[in-house]
């Protein structure tokens, strides 16, 4: 659908939502009325900022710095206040939604608003001119991860697990879109959303194992030489191949050695992906949890760590979740439900690339 048709469809849906009747409910207590009013305000703010960004984009007006941040915070507020509302009025919990968000956190009637949210981010995070795409972006992620894992000494089975996990990271970071910008950050960019220092560190680590990679997979090494030459003189984060490679080397490659133990503790492939995504979000405590010998019961209680988790949609929604001062890794993994749909898509794509 063309952008103008998207805008027209969104405006029509927005008009219906704006004129929809209030919750059919008898007399509410004061706390229930307060929860309903808070949700109505948050929903109104979300509609307003969506419409404002759409108007700015359609009019080709300059966007503010970090144009996605206000959208993101408005969406968080909608989910948070809805959870507070369903805590106060459990009968408000409705039908399942296509985003697989627990119904206690999300009213399926506002799915079109979140669709518009995604379309706006697609526009705001479009790759810059000159970005160096790959015709095989998903296969690249798996091939690079498998080769790196083999260079780290993993058996073929566990190297394949590294490939599947890494594809999950690609979907977690960018929904599987290559060379994207970031509407909420001026630092993190590219297919694996790395900062400049992380990209440089990954490149250094890659150079240290390049000879081993060449011995294991000469064809992949030759492809790497071509991509290095192609990216020369540019920001390597906007060459899909080099950004994935350097992102994996920077944060994840050394932990690939832990995969045999991880799969025993976390047999669910989605939980494995969640754990490696936590290396992106809160690397220090996640490494400590792995070293503890009791991963699932390892607790985090630092206010800074809890803040980082909340900033990545973990324990971010509703007063009860936001009031948490600590959590075990078992609880953290369970709270990462917003990642489930992304990881399910990654697993389906992996099966296309590596059919059994």
């Amino acid at each position: 659908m063309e952008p103008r048709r998207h805008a027209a469809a969104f405006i029509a849906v927005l008009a219906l939502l704006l004129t929809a009747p209030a919750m059919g409910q008898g007399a509410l207590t004061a706390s229930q009325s307060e929860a309903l009013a808070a949700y109505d305000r948050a929903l109104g703010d979300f509609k307003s900022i969506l419409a404002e960004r759409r108007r700015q984009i359609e009019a080709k007006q300059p966007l503010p710095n970090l144009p996605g941040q206000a959208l993101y915070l408005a969406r968080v507020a909608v989910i948070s206040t809805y959870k507070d509302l369903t805590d106060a009025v459990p009968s408000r919990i409705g039908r399942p939604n296509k985003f697989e968000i627990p119904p206690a956190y999300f009213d399926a009637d506002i799915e079109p608003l979140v669709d518009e949210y995604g379309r706006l981010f697609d526009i705001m995070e479009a790759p810059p001119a000159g970005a160096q795409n790959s015709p095989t972006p998903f296969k690249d992620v798996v091939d690079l991860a498998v080769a790196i894992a083999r260079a780290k000494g993993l058996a073929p089975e566990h190297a394949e697990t590294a490939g599947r996990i890494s594809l999950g990271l690609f979907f977690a970071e960018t929904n599987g879109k290559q060379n994207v910008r970031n509407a909420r950050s001026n630092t993190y960019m590219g297919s694996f959303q790395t900062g400049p220092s992380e990209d440089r560190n990954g490149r250094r680590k890659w150079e240290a194992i390049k000879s081993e990679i060449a011995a294991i997979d000469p064809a992949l090494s030759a492809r790497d030489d071509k991509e290095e030459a192609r990216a020369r003189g540019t920001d390597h984060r906007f060459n899909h191949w080099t950004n994935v490679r350097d992102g994996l080397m920077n944060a994840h490659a050394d932990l690939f050695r832990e995969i045999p133990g991880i799969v025993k503790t976390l047999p669910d492939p989605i939980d494995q992906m969640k754990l490696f995504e936590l290396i992106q979000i809160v690397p220090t405590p996640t490494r400590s949890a792995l070293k503890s010998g009791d991963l699932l019961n390892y607790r985090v209680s630092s206010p800074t760590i809890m803040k980082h988790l909340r900033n990545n949609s973990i324990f971010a929604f509703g007063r009860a979740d936001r009031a948490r001062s600590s959590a075990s890794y078992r609880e953290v993994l369970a709270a990462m439900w917003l990642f489930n749909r992304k990881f399910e898509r990654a697993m389906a794509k992996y099966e296309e690339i590596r059919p059994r």
Side-chain angles (χ1 to χ4, degrees):
M1 186 182 290
E2 297 86 356
R4 290 187 181 280
R5 291 176 62 198
H6 273 313
F10 171 67
I11 290 169
V13 169
L14 183 58
L16 288 172
L17 289 168
L18 287 170
T19 57
M23 178 176 64
Q25 196 74 24
L28 299 177
T29 66
S31 61
Q32 289 173 330
S33 295
E34 180 184 344
L36 176 58
Y39 177 64
D40 286 343
R41 285 194 300 272
L43 186 57
D45 291 343
F46 189 40
K47 295 170 187 174
S48 176
I49 189 62
L50 287 171
E52 179 184 5
R53 284 290 178 274
R54 174 57 69 178
R55 285 194 300 269
Q56 291 170 332
I57 289 170
E58 292 293 319
K60 295 183 168 48
Q61 295 175 354
L63 298 181
N65 183 43
L66 306 182
Q69 185 68 359
L71 287 174
Y72 171 78
L73 293 175
R75 188 198 63 161
V76 169
V78 165
I79 299 175
S80 292
T81 54
Y82 190 75
K83 180 60 165 62
D84 291 337
L85 175 58
T86 60
D87 284 346
V89 188
S91 62
R92 184 62 190 259
I93 299 174
R95 67 184 189 279
N97 56 84
K98 68 181 183 180
F99 303 112
E100 300 179 18
I101 298 173
Y105 290 80
F106 187 79
D107 183 351
D109 287 346
I110 70 164
E111 286 176 352
L113 298 179
V114 180
D115 286 335
E116 172 69 355
Y117 175 91
R119 288 191 292 265
L120 291 172
F121 267 86
D122 286 345
I123 295 169
M124 295 184 295
E125 297 187 333
Q132 297 175 340
N133 282 0
S134 167
T136 55
F138 306 109
K139 184 175 183 297
D140 293 353
V141 174
V142 176
D143 287 349
L144 279 163
V146 168
I148 292 168
R150 290 176 62 196
K152 294 293 181 179
L154 268 68
E157 175 188 357
H158 292 129
E160 285 295 327
T161 300
R164 184 181 63 227
I165 288 170
S166 298
L167 193 58
L169 295 174
F170 183 32
F171 275 86
E173 291 299 309
T174 70
N175 287 314
K177 297 167 186 171
Q178 58 179 320
N179 292 326
V180 296
R181 290 176 288 189
N182 191 323
R184 296 181 55 216
S185 171
N186 291 325
T187 301
Y188 298 100
M189 305 286 174
S191 297
F192 258 55
Q193 293 291 286
T194 55
S197 62
E198 295 164 321
D199 187 65
R200 288 192 297 269
N201 187 50
R203 290 173 69 183
R204 285 193 297 269
K205 288 185 174 182
W206 174 258
E207 288 302 319
I209 67 166
K210 179 67 186 290
S211 60
E212 296 172 66
I213 295 289
I216 291 168
D217 193 335
L220 183 138
S221 182
R223 166 77 185 279
D224 184 68
D225 290 340
K226 291 179 181 178
E227 294 297 339
E228 269 292 330
R230 184 184 178 207
R232 189 171 295 124
T234 71
D235 186 336
H236 272 54
R237 293 177 300 164
F238 290 114
N239 172 294
H240 173 72
W241 176 275
T242 56
N243 186 239
V244 169
R245 180 198 73 190
D246 298 339
L248 287 173
M249 289 303 305
N250 171 70
H252 305 286
D254 290 339
L255 286 176
F256 283 169
R257 294 192 182 98
E258 306 295 328
I259 284 177
I262 289 170
V263 298
K264 290 180 181 178
T265 303
L266 301 174
D268 185 342
I270 288 182
D271 282 342
Q272 297 162 18
M273 293 175 180
K274 287 179 179 179
L275 182 67
F276 273 80
E277 178 61 15
L278 288 169
I279 291 293
Q280 293 276 104
I281 298 169
V282 285
T284 300
T286 303
R287 291 191 178 98
S288 297
L290 282 167
K291 291 177 182 177
S292 72
D294 192 10
L295 169 65
L296 291 175
N297 290 316
Y298 187 89
R299 295 194 73 83
V300 292
S301 56
S302 160
T304 299
I305 297 303
M306 297 300 290
K307 180 181 177 181
H308 286 320
L309 292 173
R310 291 190 175 98
N311 195 45
N312 285 273
S313 300
I314 305 165
F315 302 127
F317 308 114
R319 292 176 184 171
D321 281 352
R322 295 185 70 85
R324 279 181 171 271
S325 59
S326 70
S328 70
Y329 264 73
R330 188 189 307 276
E331 293 168 328
V332 172
L333 293 171
M336 294 177 73
W337 41 261
L338 207 57
F339 291 86
N340 288 347
R341 189 163 177 255
K342 297 181 178 184
F343 291 146
E344 288 165 0
R345 291 172 59 208
M347 288 178 64
K349 184 59 69 174
Y350 177 80
E351 291 299 327
E352 291 178 21
I353 297 166
R354 293 285 212 271
R356 296 179 182 178

